[in-house]
Amino acid sequence: MAELSRRKFVTLSGAAAAGLAIAGTGAAGATTGNAAAPASTTTLTTTGTITDVQHVVILMQENRSFDHYFGMLKGVRGFADRSAIQIANGYSVFNQPNGLGRQYPWQFSQTKPAGGADPERLAQCNGDLSHGWSDQHRAWNSGKMDSWVAAKGNVRTLGFLTRQDIPFHYALAENWTICDAYHCSVLSATGPNRTYHWSGQIDPAGAAGGPAYDGGDEKGLRWQTYAEALETAGVSWKVYQNASDNYGDNALAYFSQFANAPAGSALAVKGMGSVPAVTGRTPDDIVAAIKADVLAGTLPQVSWIVPDQGSSEHPYATPADGAHFVHNVIDALNADPNVFNSSVLFVNYDENDGFFDHVPPPAAPAGTPGEFVNGTNIGLGFRVPMIAVSPWTRGGWVNSETHDHTSVLRFLETWTTALGTPAQCVNISDWRRRVCGDLTGMFDFTSPVYGLPALPDTSQTIGLSACGPLPNPAPVNNQLPVQESGTRPARAVPYQPNANLDHLEFGSAGVMKVWIGMDNGGAAAQKSAHFAAYANAYRSGGPWQYTVDPGGSTSDFFNCGTGFGGGPYDLTVVGPNRFLRRFKGDATKSGKNAAVTASYAVEPGTGKLAVYFKLANSGSTAVTFTIASNNYRTDGPWTYQVPAGGSVTDYFNAVAYNNGWYDFTVTVSGDSSWSQRFTGHLETGTASITG
């Protein structure tokens, strides 16, 4: 109540509300920069909290992976990722097997044309790929991420687009906030992911019509959807669609209570009804209905928008046509600038189609309730784009907190609770609630930037019929793409992951084990952190999955003795926000006496967090440790002579000088097989800059 007592009421209209130039789309009925703004029917509230949001609009598009759309965007975790995993035989995850050869991701508009096809048209009309439960899991390969071409049956899986190909999408990211750790929910197709998006689960135990996990099996489902939770809580909601031209993408129709809803009932009218047929063209009718409700002051608190196939961005539906639809939705919301200035528009994608993404999705450890179908991990799925368009997400930010489609429901939970009308999703698993955020980390509610910035024109659409079956494009080069240079302002993430090689264990009959400890500590640790451990060489198996709660820790051992390499080891641990450790050595060589412990503590003098290294020598002779910076710093290396039985500690001021980023490799004299790499970001609970 203290926050509500400070509520201020502001009414903006006309140019004062818009603040910046409004770019027209050229579509009939779209707003333009010269149009006079109507009188506002909405009053803005400014408390500096999430209660200032009056409308949440959710537009889920189809079938694009994060790397496919944004791997080249500066400042995000894309093709320049320094923490990318290694796959079999020492190759980078970007260098994928392709039959007897290998292939890096390649740009669709730089292709070898077949049959005289225009390469730029191929960039728009690139066609879909296999993306069901079986082949998605095969591409994932339990987290090894090394079977994309084989799983999808086509090298097009590695195709990507650039700023020149999708300028409107890049403009959304440049003007608002993009997530680079937002995952689809299921390693599967559209239906299961949209089921998660609308209800929080796929019923893995089969208790209420599921499990609906493989696409095409979504019917007769009987558990509660989130729309019903909103209805019960008294929160207004609506689906904007043409029910006969929605590409099967309204997941409410998968549920018996909606499919069989009586005519005139809330579920039938709000969830299954169609917008008025004004133009006879589905995307224009949807936009017209949204605009009419905006101007009438009847836009509900929560809106889901379901486009037709041609506007959905599902290959062959083009990014250009999808951009035009999204642009028109934005303009419709801005028909009353106060509505736009009090709304959040989430633009996300249901799944990756068959398009490559290089970041391993967090996966639940074996036996986690609600996260397996017949013993197989449900997800998380591969990364997909997510952009939040709102006054509180302006500025070209990136958020690297782990999210999935249930995070949208979590945002609605948080928001409706703050409004005093809590609507809870009862289906989200405990593991997802621990690992995935609620999207509020994308926002700064204290510093809104009102108005609509100038956006690229999107009037030159292509149309679904113009794509048709086109010749299969083929790459003309084979090298790692060069991501755009530059950084991006970054929102804080709620973890502080750390991992160390704790000790080596020696047993009888050649048993040797490497013990690795993982923790998630410090003031920044507010959410559970997911870790995965990889064996890069000498042994099979893995990766192994771990979830560490805030302030918690765990440890595990990895055999490196008889039957597992006979002494050598090469292990990588990855975690959120580009966290990586790599431990290499040989338990039979002198490096077994060297130990490094990384920790985080406040640096003397500056009061800022630093990376501390304790270098210990349990051997009988002195050892020289060398610490070298791989990135972020240009000085060094630093050497330390550590006597037998002794230790030395030093720190590196990552926050004071490198925006919290660090990347060091430690080596030791006398054993060239031994090295340890430490990469990550120190979290302070405040905004930062991408590395």
Side-chain angles (χ1 to χ4, degrees), residues 627-630 632-638 652-653 658 664:
I627 301 179
S629 178
N630 304 311
Y632 310 118
R633 298 184 64 145
T634 58
D635 50 347
W638 301 266
F652 296 84
N653 32 31
N658 301 303
F664 296 100

Side-chain angles (χ1 to χ4, degrees), residues 250-595:
N250 179 1
L252 296 180
Y254 309 159
F255 290 83
S256 296
Q257 58 267 39
F258 283 88
N260 302 323
S265 66
L267 300 192
V269 172
K270 299 179 184 179
M272 302 293 284
S274 295
V275 298
V278 178
T279 69
R281 186 173 180 271
T282 292
D284 294 339
D285 287 344
I286 290 173
V287 169
I290 295 169
K291 183 177 180 179
D293 285 352
V294 166
L295 293 176
T298 56
L299 185 73
Q301 291 169 278
V302 179
S303 303
W304 284 278
I305 301 174
V306 184
D308 62 307
Q309 180 184 356
S311 303
S312 71
E313 300 178 53
H314 187 296
Y316 290 100
T318 69
D321 287 57
H324 188 59
F325 181 70
V326 175
H327 199 170
N328 281 340
V329 168
I330 291 173
D331 281 344
L333 294 173
N334 197 56
D336 179 345
N338 278 6
V339 172
F340 181 78
N341 289 328
S342 61
S343 297
V344 174
L345 169 63
F346 288 121
V347 181
N348 62 0
Y349 293 74
D350 53 20
E351 37 106 345
N352 63 297
D353 196 85
F355 293 119
F356 168 83
D357 190 78
H358 79 279
V359 174
T368 302
E371 291 299 330
F372 289 81
V373 172
N374 298 325
T376 300
N377 277 94
I378 294 172
L380 306 180
F382 301 114
R383 289 189 307 167
V384 292
M386 157 63 93
I387 296 172
V389 175
S390 79
W392 310 280
T393 53
R394 281 286 293 276
W397 291 80
V398 63
N399 178 272
S400 297
E401 182 179 356
T402 300
H403 298 101
D404 83 324
H405 295 326
T406 66
S407 298
V408 178
L409 304 180
R410 298 273 308 285
F411 181 89
L412 295 172
E413 286 183 336
T414 300
W415 174 56
T416 57
T417 298
L419 293 177
T421 53
Q424 298 298 305
C425 181
V426 298
N427 305 314
I428 302 172
S429 74
D430 173 70
W431 181 79
R432 291 194 188 229
R433 287 187 179 276
R434 289 162 59 203
V435 170
C436 299
D438 66 0
L439 294 172
T440 56
M442 298 180 73
F443 295 80
D444 180 357
F445 293 108
T446 67
S447 303
V449 179
Y450 296 116
L452 181 60
L455 295 169
D457 178 75
T458 59
S459 59
Q460 299 302 309
T461 57
I462 294 173
L464 185 63
S465 62
C467 282
L470 290 176
N472 199 30
V476 298
N477 56 40
N478 194 7
Q479 57 192 10
L480 181 65
V482 180
Q483 186 175 345
E484 295 176 347
S485 62
T487 59
R488 186 171 295 275
R491 296 297 186 194
V493 299
Y495 333 95
Q496 191 57 87
N498 194 11
N500 289 289
L501 195 164
D502 187 68
H503 67 280
L504 299 176
E505 177 184 340
F506 299 91
S508 60
V511 171
M512 289 177 270
K513 298 177 181 179
V514 178
W515 280 87
I516 295 175
M518 294 156 272
D519 64 80
N520 177 26
Q526 304 297 317
K527 290 287 295 181
S528 298
H530 171 269
F531 296 87
Y534 288 79
N536 301 310
Y538 307 119
R539 58 159 300 162
S540 60
W544 298 269
Q545 312 286 343
Y546 309 90
T547 302
V548 180
D549 292 333
S553 63
T554 192
S555 63
D556 202 358
F557 69 85
F558 304 87
N559 287 297
C560 65
T562 301
F564 298 92
Y569 57 88
D570 184 352
L571 301 164
T572 292
V573 177
V574 296
N577 197 19
R578 312 189 203 196
F579 174 87
L580 181 143
R581 298 287 191 263
R582 186 169 184 177
F583 307 111
K584 299 172 65 177
D586 189 328
T588 68
K589 296 184 177 179
S590 62
K592 66 182 181 181
N593 298 316

Side-chain angles (χ1 to χ4, degrees), residues 203-296:
D203 186 28
Y213 67 94
D214 199 18
D217 53 3
E218 307 86 23
K219 62 181 179 180
L221 310 183
R222 300 188 303 276
W223 61 91
Q224 185 190 66
T225 66
Y226 193 71
E228 293 165 274
L230 292 173
E231 184 72 19
T232 300
V235 178
S236 60
W237 64 276
K238 181 179 181 179
V239 175
Y240 289 88
Q241 66 165 355
N242 178 344
S244 64
D245 186 17
N246 66 7
Y247 203 38
D249 279 348
N250 179 1
L252 296 180
Y254 309 159
F255 290 83
S256 296
Q257 58 267 39
F258 283 88
N260 302 323
S265 66
L267 300 192
V269 172
K270 299 179 184 179
M272 302 293 284
S274 295
V275 298
V278 178
T279 69
R281 186 173 180 271
T282 292
D284 294 339
D285 287 344
I286 290 173
V287 169
I290 295 169
K291 183 177 180 179
D293 285 352
V294 166
L295 293 176

Side-chain angles (χ1 to χ4, degrees), residues 618-642:
S618 62
S620 58
T621 60
V623 171
T624 299
F625 288 81
T626 299
I627 301 179
S629 178
N630 304 311
N631 299 288
Y632 310 118
R633 298 184 64 145
T634 58
D635 50 347
W638 301 266
T639 59
Y640 309 85
Q641 189 172 50
V642 181

